């Protein structure tokens, strides 16, 4: 910003901000989902491949390589070229309207608990398996 303008803004008490990543405004931060991805896992914590998670992949008929894990901030920057299954895990923070709109055209499963709670709570695990059966059947109908 030219020096004169900076001085005038400072005299008026207006704070100036500098972007840390200006390329983000130019679309450089967009994330494209590869064609081999069949499941998009939205979770605040990166997935740790556990026997429980491997069982879920097996139940859905996919491998860990067919799954892409993103957090809620990354979800807003996704470019999804093909319909795919989306598993939203946990509620904190809740998805914003823009993210929900982006997921409307996809087969989406919402699980309000995190992976740790799911793997140690038998009732929650039973509910998840019931949801996964319906989720899996919907995938086969396409």
């Amino acid at each position: 910003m030219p020096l004169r303008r900076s001085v005038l803004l400072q005299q008026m008490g207006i704070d100036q901000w500098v972007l840390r990543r200006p390329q983000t405004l130019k679309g450089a931060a967009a994330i494209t989902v590869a064609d081999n991805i069949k499941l998009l896992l939205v979770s605040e914590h990166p997935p740790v491949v556990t026997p429980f998670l491997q069982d879920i992949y097996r139940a859905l008929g996919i491998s860990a390589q067919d799954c892409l894990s993103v957090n809620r901030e990354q979800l807003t920057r996704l470019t999804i070229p093909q319909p795919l299954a989306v598993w939203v895990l946990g509620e904190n923070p809740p998805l914003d309207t823009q993210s929900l709109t982006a997921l409307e055209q996809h087969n989406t499963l919402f699980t309000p608990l995190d992976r740790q709670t799911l793997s140690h709570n038998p009732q929650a695990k039973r509910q998840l398996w019931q949801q996964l059966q319906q989720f899996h059947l919907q995938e086969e109908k396409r």
Side-chain angles (χ1 to χ4, degrees), residues 85-112:
V86 180
W87 182 20
V88 181
L89 198 54
E91 290 183 331
N92 295 325
L95 291 176
D96 60 2
T97 307
Q98 179 184 3
S99 298
L100 288 171
T101 304
L103 295 177
E104 280 180 349
Q105 64 183 356
H106 303 285
N107 185 14
T108 306
L109 172 65
F110 291 94
T111 305

Side-chain angles (χ1 to χ4, degrees), residues 73-139:
E73 187 271 326
Q74 293 169 323
L75 180 62
T76 60
R77 298 183 291 135
L78 277 181
T79 303
I80 306 173
Q82 75 276 5
L84 53 94
V86 180
W87 182 20
V88 181
L89 198 54
E91 290 183 331
N92 295 325
L95 291 176
D96 60 2
T97 307
Q98 179 184 3
S99 298
L100 288 171
T101 304
L103 295 177
E104 280 180 349
Q105 64 183 356
H106 303 285
N107 185 14
T108 306
L109 172 65
F110 291 94
T111 305
L113 303 172
D114 60 33
R115 275 189 303 260
Q116 195 70 8
T117 306
L118 277 172
S119 62
H120 298 302
N121 183 335
Q123 180 63 25
K125 199 184 290 188
R126 189 175 306 114
Q127 267 185 320
L128 174 64
W129 286 118
Q130 289 169 350
Q131 289 177 321
L132 285 174
Q133 285 176 333
Q134 294 171 355
F135 189 64
H136 188 66
L137 291 175
Q138 290 176 0
E139 281 297 299

